[in-house]
C-alpha cells in the first residue's frame, strides 16, 4: 500500500513566498493607480489651454444691430488649426441655439435642471464621429432682453494627453522593472543572512556526541527561536532524568539482588556437601526459601519504583476509602501472623469528598507500602500485640482528603525522617526485613498525584511514640456520576 506523506515545506521558501507574493500582487495595482494619476496629470495643462481658447472665442461673440454675431479673425483661425498632434474643433451658437460658426454637428452640452452658469468654463468628455474629445464650453450672456445666453465650445482630440500619460507611465514604471528584481534579490539575501543562526544551531546540535545531554546554549540564537531551544532543553533534561533513572534502577537492582543471590548460592553449596545431615539440609532449604522470598520482594519493589518513576499515570476518579479497605483486607493475614491488630477507621465509601483524581493501581501500591512498612517496624508478640490503624478523613469543604497509617512502633527519630524516603535507606538499629524501597515508592506516587507526605509521632511523649504517615490529597468536587457534593 502506497503511503502518502505530506510534502515538507522550506521555512526559507515559505517566508520568501509570503514576502514576494504581496510585492508581485501590488505591482499591477501600482501600475493601475499610476495610470490613473498620469491621466489626471496629463489632463490638467491641456484643460487649461482649452479653457483659455474657449474664453478667447467667447470674447468674439458680440451683438450688432440686435443680433448675435461671431467674428473670427483669420489669424485666430490659423492658431486653432495649428496643432500638429490633435485636431481642434469649435462651435458657436446664438441665444436661440442657432448655428453661428464652427462644426455644425458638434454635440451640445447635456441639459441641466438649473439655468447654466454664464462666464464659467465647463469641461466634459464627448464622442464625435467615433473620436474621443475633450470639450470646454462656456455660456456667454448677451446684452439682449431676457435670459440671452450664447454657447461657445472648443474641443480637441486626446492624442497629446495619451502621449503625455504614456510618457509618465514609462518614466515611473520602467525603473520598477529594475527595482523589482533588485528588491527580490535583496529580500533573498536578507533571508539567507537571517536564517544563518539556525544553520549554526543545527551544526552545533549535529556536532554533539550521543551521550551529551547538556542544555543547548542560547548564544547566537534569534529571539524567536529561544522558546524552541527551551523546549528542546526541557526534552533533554527529561531524557537525562529518564536515563539516570534507568541507570540507577540497574545499579540498585544489581546491588540489592547480589546479597540474596549470594545467600542462595552459599546455601545450595552447603546442601550439596557430602555428609550433610537431614537437619542441616532442612535448615539450608529454609534459608534458600527465605532468600528467594527476599529476592522476589526486592525485585517487586524495584519494579514498582521504576514503574512509579517512569510512568505517566492515567488519572481517573478513585474512591480512596475503597482502596484503603481493600489493602487492609489483603494485609490482614500477614498482620495476624505477626500478632498485629490491623484495622481501618474513618470515612465510609459513600461519604462525600472521598473521591480523588488518580491512578488506582499506583494508589493501591502507595497504601500497601505504608501498611507493609508499619507491619515491618511494629514490634509485637502474643502477650503485647502491636497496633496498626489505617484512617481516611475527608474535609469536603476544604477539598482535602487525608490518608493516615499509624502504628505503635518505636517511631522515627527526627534526624532520620528525611533519610527514610531515600532508596535503600533503613533505620539504624532496626532488625526488620525489608528492601528500603517502600517509602521512596510512596513519595514518588504522591508526587505524581500532587500530594504531600508528612511524618509525625503518633503518641508524642510516650516510650514508644509510634509513627503516623499522613498523605494529603486534593479531593474532587463531585463523585464520578457528577452528583454534586452535599
Amino acid at each position: 500500500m502506497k503511503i502518502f506523506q505530506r510534502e515538507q515545506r522550506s521555512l526559507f521558501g515559505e517566508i520568501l513566498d509570503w514576502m514576494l507574493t504581496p510585492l508581485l500582487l501590488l505591482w499591477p495595482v501600482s501600475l493601475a493607480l499610476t495610470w490613473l494619476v498620469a491621466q489626471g496629470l496629463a489632463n490638467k495643462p491641456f484643460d487649461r489651454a482649452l479653457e483659455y481658447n474657449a474664453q478667447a472665442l467667447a470674447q468674439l461673440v458680440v451683438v450688432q444691430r440686435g443680433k448675435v454675431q461671431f467674428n473670427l479673425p483669420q489669424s485666430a483661425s490659423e492658431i486653432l488649426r495649428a496643432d500638429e498632434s490633435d485636431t481642434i474643433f469649435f462651435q458657436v451658437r446664438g441665444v436661440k441655439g442657432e448655428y453661428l460658426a464652427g462644426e455644425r454637428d458638434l454635440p451640445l452640452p447635456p441639459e441641466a435642471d438649473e439655468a447654466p452658469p454664464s462666464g464659467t468654463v465647463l469641461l466634459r468628455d464627448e464622442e464625435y464621429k467615433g473620436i474621443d474629445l475633450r470639450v470646454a464650453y462656456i455660456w456667454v450672456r448677451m446684452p439682449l432682453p431676457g435670459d440671452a445666453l450664447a454657447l461657445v465650445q472648443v474641443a480637441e482630440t486626446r492624442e497629446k494627453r495619451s502621449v503625455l500619460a504614456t510618457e509618465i507611465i514609462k518614466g515611473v514604471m520602467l525603473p520598477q522593472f529594475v527595482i523589482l528584481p533588485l528588491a527580490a534579490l535583496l529580500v533573498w539575501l536578507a533571508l539567507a543572512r537571517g536564517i544563518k543562526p539556525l544553520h549554526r544551531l543545527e551544526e552545533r546540535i549535529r556536532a554533539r556526541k550521543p551521550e551529551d545531554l547538556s542544555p543547548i546554549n542560547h548564544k547566537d540564537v534569534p529571539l524567536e527561536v529561544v522558546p524552541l531551544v527551551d523546549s528542546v532543553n526541557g526534552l533533554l533534561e527529561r531524557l537525562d532524568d529518564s536515563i539516570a533513572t534507568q541507570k540507577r534502577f540497574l545499579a540498585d537492582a544489581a546491588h540489592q539482588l547480589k546479597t540474596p543471590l549470594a545467600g542462595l548460592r552459599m546455601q545450595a553449596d552447603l546442601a550439596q556437601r557430602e555428609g550433610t545431615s537431614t537437619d542441616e539440609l532442612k535448615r539450608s532449604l529454609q534459608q534458600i526459601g527465605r532468600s528467594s522470598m527476599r529476592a522476589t520482594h526486592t525485585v517487586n519493589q524495584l519494579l514498582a519504583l521504576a514503574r512509579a518513576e517512569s510512568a505517566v499515570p492515567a488519572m481517573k476518579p478513585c474512591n480512596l476509602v475503597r482502596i484503603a479497605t481493600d489493602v487492609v483486607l489483603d494485609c490482614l493475614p500477614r498482620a495476624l501472623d505477626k500478632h498485629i491488630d490491623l484495622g481501618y477507621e474513618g470515612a465510609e465509601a459513600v461519604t462525600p469528598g472521598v473521591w480523588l483524581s488518580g491512578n488506582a493501581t499506583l494508589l493501591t501500591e502507595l497504601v500497601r507500602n505504608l501498611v507493609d512498612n508499619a507491619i515491618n517496624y511494629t514490634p509485637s508478640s502474643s502477650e503485647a500485640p502491636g497496633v496498626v490503624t489505617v484512617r481516611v478523613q475527608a474535609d469536603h469543604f476544604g477539598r482535602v482528603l487525608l490518608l493516615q497509617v499509624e502504628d505503635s512502633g518505636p517511631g522515627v527519630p527526627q534526624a532520620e525522617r528525611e533519610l527514610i524516603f531515600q532508596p535503600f535507606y533503613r533505620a539504624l538499629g532496626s532488625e526488620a526485613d525489608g528492601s528500603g524501597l517502600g517509602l521512596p515508592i510512596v513519595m514518588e506516587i504522591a508526587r505524581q498525584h500532587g500530594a504531600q507526605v508528612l511524618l509525625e509521632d503518633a503518641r508524642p511523649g510516650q516510650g514508644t511514640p509510634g509513627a503516623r504517615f499522613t498523605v494529603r490529597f486534593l479531593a474532587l468536587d463531585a463523585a464520578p456520576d457528577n452528583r454534586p457534593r452535599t
Side-chain angles (χ1 to χ4, degrees), residues 170-223:
K170 290 180 179 179
V172 174
M173 299 310 297
L174 288 179
Q176 292 189 12
F177 285 103
V178 179
I179 293 174
L180 192 61
L182 182 60
L185 177 62
L186 292 177
V187 168
W188 188 87
L189 293 175
L191 282 178
R193 181 179 179 82
I195 66 173
K196 274 188 177 179
L198 297 180
H199 293 313
R200 289 195 292 267
L201 178 62
E202 177 190 4
E203 293 172 355
R204 286 163 52 193
I205 295 176
R206 287 183 180 275
R208 282 187 165 220
K209 296 181 179 180
E211 65 274 9
D212 185 6
L213 297 178
S214 60
I216 301 174
N217 193 352
H218 289 132
K219 182 181 179 181
D220 298 332
V221 174
L223 184 62

Side-chain angles (χ1 to χ4, degrees), residues 340 369-379 388 405-407 469:
I340 292 178
N369 278 280
L370 287 177
V371 174
D372 285 343
N373 182 78
I375 293 175
N376 289 337
Y377 290 92
T378 300
V388 174
V405 178
E406 182 179 305
D407 61 60
F469 289 87

Side-chain angles (χ1 to χ4, degrees), residues 63 66 99 108 110 168 220 275 344 352:
V63 177
Y99 169 78
L108 297 175
I168 295 175
D220 298 332
Y344 171 82

Side-chain angles (χ1 to χ4, degrees), residues 117-328:
S118 62
T120 302
V121 180
L122 302 177
L123 296 167
R124 75 178 190 274
D125 293 324
E126 195 65 76
E127 184 176 347
Y128 175 62
K129 296 180 181 181
I131 303 173
D132 292 332
L133 300 178
R134 184 69 168 171
V135 182
Y137 62 99
I138 182 173
W139 295 95
V140 184
R141 186 172 299 279
M142 298 284 96
L144 293 173
D147 192 9
L149 294 176
L151 174 63
V152 177
Q153 296 190 100
V154 180
E156 70 176 1
T157 55
R158 307 179 67 92
E159 292 298 328
K160 291 184 296 185
R161 302 166 188 264
S162 298
V163 171
L164 180 58
T166 302
E167 293 298 324
I168 295 175
I169 290 293
K170 290 180 179 179
V172 174
M173 299 310 297
L174 288 179
Q176 292 189 12
F177 285 103
V178 179
I179 293 174
L180 192 61
L182 182 60
L185 177 62
L186 292 177
V187 168
W188 188 87
L189 293 175
L191 282 178
R193 181 179 179 82
I195 66 173
K196 274 188 177 179
L198 297 180
H199 293 313
R200 289 195 292 267
L201 178 62
E202 177 190 4
E203 293 172 355
R204 286 163 52 193
I205 295 176
R206 287 183 180 275
R208 282 187 165 220
K209 296 181 179 180
E211 65 274 9
D212 185 6
L213 297 178
S214 60
I216 301 174
N217 193 352
H218 289 132
K219 182 181 179 181
D220 298 332
V221 174
L223 184 62
E224 292 78 9
V225 187
V226 170
L228 175 61
V229 174
D230 290 338
S231 300
V232 174
N233 286 339
L235 177 61
L236 291 175
E237 183 179 359
R238 292 191 298 271
L239 182 60
D240 191 23
D241 292 341
S242 177
I243 294 176
T245 300
Q246 293 178 4
K247 290 181 179 179
R248 184 172 64 250
F249 171 77
L250 294 175
D252 294 343
H255 175 74
Q256 291 300 312
L257 292 177
K258 185 185 299 183
T259 300
L261 291 178
L264 283 173
R265 183 175 180 179
M266 182 184 68
Q267 295 298 329
D269 291 341
L270 290 176
Q272 292 176 359
R273 288 181 180 179
E274 296 182 0
T276 303
S277 64
T278 303
D279 293 338
E280 292 176 346
L281 180 60
K282 186 176 182 180
R283 284 195 298 270
S284 296
L285 292 176
Q286 290 175 349
Q287 290 293 335
I288 290 174
R290 282 194 292 268
S291 296
S292 64
M293 290 179 60
R294 181 179 177 185
T296 301
H297 178 69
T298 301
V299 170
N300 291 335
Q301 291 290 80
L302 285 169
L303 292 176
L305 180 60
R307 185 169 58 249
E309 288 181 342
S310 61
V312 179
M315 299 297 183
K316 297 181 179 179
C318 300
N319 191 309
L320 187 58
V321 173
R322 292 175 183 171
I323 293 175
T325 53
D326 290 344
V327 172
V328 169

